[in-house]
DNA sequence: AGCAGGTCGTTCGTATACATATGTGTCGTG
DNA sequence: CACGACACATATGTATACGAACGACCTGCT
């Protein structure tokens, strides 16, 4: 990313629905930036394990479920079938995941962690908790709970 | 994206910092999902103008500033120099943007909207307001203000 | 049994997103 | 004025992210 910026404050808002658009007040831009913040923090703290946030999410979820189909894993981690395919392929190439065909459904593939995968995931989970803490660090404890709750509501995660 | 999911609720949390990790409670995952929600909504409502959220952000910001250097635009829209380069290149190819070398700094390039770019941006801004409304629709008005404020705090946008 | 419609994994194409490297240009300091 | 540190735009490589299309397969209905 760029060197952080600190640009001049944003001036006047106009009435919405009109031809003015203050990027910095729009939810989409804010979400994008906040997400970027998390990715950066994750990279800084977990990057030396060579795991991206998505790769980690996949590992963590497999770890939680023991064995899942690739497609279900995708739904649980909010990844497109096309996306999860690439993620799994890269984790496979590193030997972190074992695959086997689903005996009950010949379309499906079942995934589980390999022994090295389990070890790496344990360590990554430890660090991931620290990442979450770091991301929320600018907020008060109350604000953190608020934000989490609001995002869950927004994303329909009850 | 996948057909939406509605998976079973998440069970028990363990004490954090330990070997449990409930993806659905972690800020990174929530931010990623919320961001996905916005991108999807944007695509649905602005997609037929063939604009992505980032392309639109660039156009909107150029429109606001009149003329900016590519690099400054990148900082204002939170895009890497490498990223903004690609975005601008595609908008240029469509004739939505005009370029000229900065007379005061031969490294820099100045960007402004072309006439078609201005027209398209006006229409896109109209729709973008509607997108923001749609994204926040699951929240109460109070919650919307709360969430926006918290994200601004988190992303250091004062 | 057989078929229609849907699902699972995969592939292709395009667009962010960012690290890294490079060539060119600017600027402050000596 | 010269030089080193830095800034700007670009190029390359990798990793999401997703639409669209595909072949293989499953399932419910007839």
């Amino acid at each position: 990313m760029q060197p952080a910026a600190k640009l001049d404050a944003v001036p006047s808002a106009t009435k919405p629905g009109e031809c003015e658009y203050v990027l910095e007040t729009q939810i989409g831009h804010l979400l994008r930036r906040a997400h970027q913040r998390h990715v950066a923090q994750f990279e800084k703290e977990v990057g030396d394990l060579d795991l991206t946030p998505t790769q980690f999410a996949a590992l963590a979820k497999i770890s939680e479920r023991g064995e899942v189909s690739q497609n279900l894993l995708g739904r649980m981690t909010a990844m497109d079938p096309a996306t999860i395919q690439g993620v799994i392929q890269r984790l496979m190439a590193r030997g972190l995941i074992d695959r086997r065909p689903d005996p009950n459904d010949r379309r499906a593939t079942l995934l589980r962690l390999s022994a090295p995968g389990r070890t790496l995931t344990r360590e990554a989970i430890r660090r991931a908790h620290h990442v979450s803490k770091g991301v929320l660090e600018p907020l008060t404890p109350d604000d953190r709970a608020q934000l989490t709750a609001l995002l869950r509501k927004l994303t329909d995660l009850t």
Side-chain angles (χ1 to χ4, degrees), chain A:
Chain A
M1 269 286 298
Q2 295 242 40
K6 285 298 180 194
L7 304 160
D8 11 70
V10 182
S12 64
T14 320
K15 62 175 183 289
E18 297 307 318
C19 52
E20 278 309 316
Y21 188 86
V22 183
L23 191 60
E24 289 75 6
T25 66
Q26 299 296 313
I27 190 65
H29 185 70
L30 293 173
L31 287 171
R32 177 167 159 275
R33 278 176 96 106
H35 180 239
Q36 282 177 338
R37 175 179 163 84
H38 176 262
V39 173
Q41 197 95 13
F42 192 96
E43 160 65 21
K44 193 162 57 183
E45 303 211 32
V46 193
D48 58 320
L49 300 183
D50 269 304
L51 285 180
T52 63
T54 23
Q55 289 170 357
F56 168 68
L59 291 179
K61 208 61 182 173
I62 298 175
S63 162
E64 178 187 321
R65 307 284 291 206
E67 193 170 43
V68 262
S69 77
Q70 186 171 306
N71 196 276
L72 180 56
L73 179 63
R75 267 172 296 163
M76 292 190 300
T77 53
M79 293 185 222
D80 213 71
T83 301
I84 196 78
Q85 202 277 332
V87 172
I88 292 305
Q89 172 200 304
R90 282 180 282 276
L91 294 174
M92 277 273 300
R94 291 171 58 187
L96 299 175
I97 283 182
D98 290 332
R99 302 174 62 149
R100 66 177 181 116
D102 186 331
N104 297 122
D105 185 342
R106 274 186 299 166
R107 294 168 304 176
T109 307
L110 295 178
L111 307 173
R112 44 170 43 205
L113 297 183
S114 67
R118 272 191 297 278
T119 307
L120 188 66
T121 302
R122 241 190 314 270
E123 172 62 15
I125 286 179
R126 227 185 322 273
R127 302 197 195 184
H129 285 299
H130 197 257
V131 172
S132 291
K133 230 172 280 178
V135 170
L136 292 173
E137 189 267 339
L139 302 183
T140 68
D142 269 4
D143 283 352
R144 292 170 205 171
Q146 263 284 310
L147 178 59
T148 304
L150 288 171
L151 287 173
R152 282 178 72 99
K153 209 163 164 189
L154 195 68
T155 53
D156 200 26
L157 284 170
T158 331

